[in-house]
Amino acid sequence: LLVPASILGVIVFLYGLAFFNTNPLIREVCESNITMCPRCDKTCKVWQLSDTCTYAKISHLFDNEGTVGFAMFMAIWATLFLELWKRHRAIHVTNWKVYDWCEEEEELILDLVNDLNCKPKQFRHSYLRSTVVLILVTLMLMLILGLAHVLVVFRVVAAPLLSEGNSNFIKDHANTVAVMLGAVLHYVTIQVMTRCLKRRQMCLFVSQEKTNSFAATERSFTVKMFTFQFFTLFSSLFYVAFFLGRINGHPGNYKRIAGWRLEECHPSGCLTDLFIQMSIIMLLKQTLNNIFEFTVPLLFSWCYRKTCRDENGCVEPCDICKLQDWLRNYHLANTDAFSLFNEFMEMVMQFSFTTIFVAAFPLAPLLALINNIFEIRLDAIKMVRLERRMVPRKTNDIGVWTQVLEAIGVLAVIANGLVIGFSSDFIPRLVYHYHFGPCATGSPNTHCMQGYINDTLSTALVLHSAVRKDFDLSQLRTENGLNVTQCSYRDYRNNEDYTLTTQFWIVLAVRFAFVILFEHVVVVCKSVVSWFVPNNPNRVKNKLLKDK
């Protein structure tokens, strides 16, 4: 199912590529002579809007008219994926005669078979234990959010420091390099937190709930591990998507952390930062994780075989072929009941990447498809040749992972609606086209989006006392040595008292209206798809009816 999503994502990408040279917004940026305000304190100077010509073109690749349709398609695709999976699952569990099988009942039966005097574990609930678990979960989430704040501070500090470097390229692209370094640091944070949240520690954490079966323990473990992993992976992305550039203030009233000015959105739009962050994290996560998953069991197996050799360098001798196979299997990497957990977690996180912020990264399905093509073979080699054979367990579904995927599908609708409505420039462009642009004011011979870039900029007067406090005189001097009397910045503010203009409130109202409309339309479409594609095929229903 990733194939149609990948094709449509590439089409959206190519649609933006086709209008590189003809798009009036790109041309307006590239031909602009507008002087922009410094992007950081002390070291950054005023710069020309035309310097961001390349980034404006890149931004148009994913922030174009096709993004809305693609986001709606991916939300419906997520529902279709789950419905088809349920149909696929129903066919197999019916053939295996485990459609109505219950894992908890099976566990109870096995306990009674092994011990006739065994008594079923009673359901217990302790408000004290629940409170302790809730407090511990909250503390863990606060720790993860604290790490996200550390990443924010890192980017705030890194941008001005990079602008002081000796390399002209890094000085000119300090904000972009800071975003990339922040993405790499975010990936390192993900790996560190993944290693810290080890299975044994989480099992001890879950054991505080005193569940009455292994199935319930497994569900609790899965939900908590997924929650922690999800917050670790997406906390920084949510900041970039919904807070970056909206809480940094304006000239004369910049917001700061420990004296450092909060970072702004990329000059070509806030969606560019999200695109850079997602692309780096997804590429690193897919490539390095596959390398580690394959090489670690290989090295472990090689080291284990080496330590088990006798004085002559031979593995423990065995004359019986069956015992040789057992011995060979014993020398492989160990597996346990949670061996498949990491595989499920990786696939669910990939599903999250391809649905939640797909509006900012339409190539995510294509990268996921390429990754899966390689990972299928790597996992096959790992499970067959590098790891011990897993003990089969009876089951009729993937457990709580189904509910997790459904929750991600709902979150994807909300997130994509907010990304398009508030993070992208789709709504401001729409409002300008029909309310403030040349076509709305009766200029038929002019392109409807002519002047849009200038309309989204506000002007800061250097003579204003508050503005002079934020900028040094050296920052307000161009490369040619000319002193500027005013500079521009992205916002809808009055040039005299810096209050928000009427256009800002109109755009904000349309943003909210779009998000509500988008989510309702997509939810209706998802419901129709869910109804149109039933969970159980007719042959499964008929077979179950016949068995009854």
Side-chain angles (χ1 to χ4, degrees):
L1 284 177
L2 277 173
V3 174
S6 303
I7 294 175
L8 190 58
V10 173
I11 291 175
V12 173
F13 183 82
L14 294 178
Y15 172 80
L17 187 64
F19 294 94
F20 253 27
N21 298 322
T22 59
N23 187 275
L25 304 182
I26 296 177
R27 188 166 57 249
E28 187 175 351
V29 172
C30 296
E31 298 175 357
S32 173
N33 57 358
I34 298 176
T35 302
M36 304 294 292
C37 295
R39 285 175 281 192
C40 64
D41 292 331
K42 297 181 180 180
T43 56
C44 298
K45 294 186 177 182
V46 291
W47 51 281
Q48 296 298 315
L49 181 62
S50 57
D51 296 341
T52 63
C53 178
T54 302
Y55 294 106
K57 294 179 179 179
I58 295 175
S59 176
H60 187 68
L61 293 176
F62 48 86
D63 189 6
N64 54 61
E65 293 77 7
T67 304
V68 180
F70 183 63
M72 295 180 65
F73 169 81
M74 288 303 297
I76 299 172
W77 174 89
T79 302
L80 183 63
F81 172 82
L82 292 177
E83 293 300 320
L84 292 178
W85 154 250
K86 292 176 183 178
R87 289 173 63 88
H88 185 74
R89 168 250 174 198
I91 294 174
H92 285 288
V93 298
T94 304
N95 294 332
W96 296 338
K97 305 296 183 181
V98 292
Y99 187 89
D100 296 323
W101 175 81
C102 178
E103 184 176 2
E104 294 179 343
E105 292 181 1
E106 181 87 359
E107 187 177 341
L108 178 60
I109 292 172
L110 291 177
D111 290 339
L112 292 174
V113 170
N114 295 325
D115 184 6
L116 295 178
N117 297 322
C118 173
K119 294 183 179 180
K121 294 181 180 179
Q122 300 294 320
F123 289 95
R124 292 179 294 177
H125 178 74
S126 172
Y127 288 102
L128 177 60
R129 290 182 178 274
S130 299
T131 303
V132 171
V133 171
L134 182 61
I135 292 174
L136 292 176
V137 170
T138 304
L139 291 176
M140 286 295 299
L141 295 180
M142 290 178 63
L143 174 62
I144 295 171
L145 294 177
L147 292 176
H149 283 83
V150 171
L151 294 175
V152 173
V153 174
F154 169 81
R155 290 171 50 164
V156 169
V157 175
L161 293 180
L162 290 172
S163 62
E164 298 177 358
N166 297 325
S167 174
N168 292 330
F169 178 81
I170 294 179
K171 290 172 63 176
D172 295 338
H173 305 85
N175 282 16
T176 305
V177 176
V179 171
M180 292 181 177
L181 292 177
V184 175
L185 183 60
H186 186 193
Y187 173 77
V188 174
T189 304
I190 294 171
Q191 297 303 315
V192 171
M193 290 300 296
T194 302
R195 299 298 181 271
C196 292
L197 297 173
K198 294 182 179 179
R199 288 200 299 267
R200 292 181 180 178
Q201 297 172 353
M202 286 302 301
C203 287
L204 292 174
F205 184 74
V206 172
S207 64
Q208 300 298 320
E209 299 182 11
K210 298 296 182 181
T211 55
N212 69 322
S213 64
F214 178 79
T217 302
E218 192 175 26
R219 286 195 297 269
S220 178
F221 173 84
T222 300
V223 171
K224 289 179 175 58
M225 279 293 291
F226 168 77
T227 302
F228 295 145
Q229 292 278 6
F230 183 85
F231 271 81
T232 303
L233 185 60
F234 284 93
S235 57
S236 179
L237 294 178
F238 272 95
Y239 164 76
V240 174
F242 305 123
F243 297 98
L244 178 63
R246 293 167 180 80
I247 57 176
N248 61 305
H250 58 85
N253 188 26
Y254 281 120
K255 302 297 186 295
R256 288 176 166 80
I257 296 180
W260 298 89
R261 197 176 103 189
L262 285 179
E263 58 183 335
E264 302 177 6
C265 284
H266 197 276
S268 58
C270 299
L271 218 59
T272 305
D273 296 278
L274 183 59
F275 169 78
I276 295 173
Q277 186 102 347
M278 286 191 63
S279 58
I280 292 177
I281 292 176
M282 192 168 186
L283 288 172
L284 289 176
K285 188 173 177 59
Q286 289 183 344
T287 54
L288 296 183
N289 280 15
N290 284 335
I291 293 174
F292 289 144
E293 284 185 11
F294 185 78
T295 56
V296 171
L298 181 63
L299 293 175
F300 179 82
S301 178
W302 178 78
C303 294
Y304 193 87
R305 288 197 304 268
K306 188 174 181 179
T307 56
C308 291
R309 295 180 182 274
D310 57 19
E311 297 178 354
N312 298 324
C314 299
V315 183
E316 301 173 13
C318 183
D319 297 330
I320 304 177
C321 295
K322 183 180 293 186
L323 293 181
Q324 287 180 348
D325 293 337
W326 291 350
L327 185 61
R328 190 180 301 111
N329 184 64
Y330 180 73
H331 290 157
L332 299 177
N334 189 25
T335 58
D336 53 28
F338 292 100
S339 295
L340 287 178
F341 176 82
N342 292 333
E343 302 295 336
F344 274 105
M345 179 66 75
E346 186 176 354
M347 289 295 101
V348 170
M349 286 301 173
Q350 184 188 92
F351 182 79
S352 304
F353 255 102
T354 54
T355 53
I356 292 181
F357 288 122
V358 73
F361 193 27
L363 295 180
L366 177 62
L367 294 181
L369 176 62
I370 296 173
N371 172 76
N372 290 349
I373 292 174
F374 286 97
E375 188 164 0
I376 287 174
R377 301 311 309 160
L378 292 176
D379 284 346
I381 296 173
K382 180 182 68 174
M383 293 181 180
V384 174
R385 299 178 58 184
L386 303 179
E387 291 183 343
R388 295 177 185 174
R389 305 297 181 265
M390 287 183 284
V391 178
R393 286 177 54 195
K394 184 188 294 186
T395 186
N396 61 355
D397 59 12
I398 57 175
V400 74
W401 289 112
T402 303
Q403 287 75 31
V404 171
L405 291 173
E406 291 175 347
I408 292 173
V410 175
L411 182 60
V413 177
I414 300 173
N416 282 305
L418 292 174
V419 166
I420 297 173
F422 287 91
S423 300
S424 73
D425 287 340
F426 175 76
I427 298 301
R429 290 197 299 262
L430 198 67
V431 172
Y432 182 80
H433 184 281
Y434 291 102
H435 197 274
F436 296 99
C439 295
T441 56
S443 301
N445 297 327
T446 308
H447 194 281
C448 293
M449 297 304 296
Q450 188 70 33
Y452 167 76
I453 299 298
N454 189 48
D455 183 72
T456 60
L457 300 177
S458 298
T459 302
L461 301 176
V462 177
L463 296 178
H464 197 282
S465 58
V467 175
R468 293 182 67 88
K469 292 181 181 179
D470 279 334
F471 302 132
D472 295 335
L473 293 178
S474 59
Q475 293 182 267
L476 301 174
R477 189 176 296 114
T478 63
E479 295 180 354
N480 299 328
L482 300 177
N483 293 324
V484 299
T485 58
Q486 63 182 30
C487 60
S488 300
Y489 60 98
R490 285 176 60 94
D491 208 345
Y492 294 103
R493 291 188 178 273
N494 192 292
N495 297 336
E496 297 179 358
D497 55 3
Y498 299 101
T499 57
L500 296 172
T501 62
T502 305
Q503 186 174 354
F504 169 83
W505 298 109
I506 294 175
V507 171
L508 183 63
V510 177
R511 288 183 191 273
F512 278 111
F514 170 81
V515 171
I516 295 173
L517 179 63
F518 176 87
E519 293 179 357
H520 279 71
V521 170
V522 174
V523 168
V524 170
C525 293
K526 286 169 66 71
S527 301
V528 171
V529 171
S530 180
W531 166 80
F532 190 76
V533 183
N535 295 342
N536 297 326
N538 287 332
R539 58 173 174 169
V540 171
K541 295 178 181 178
N542 294 331
K543 190 171 184 179
L544 292 175
L545 182 62
K546 182 179 179 180
D547 293 340
K548 291 180 179 179

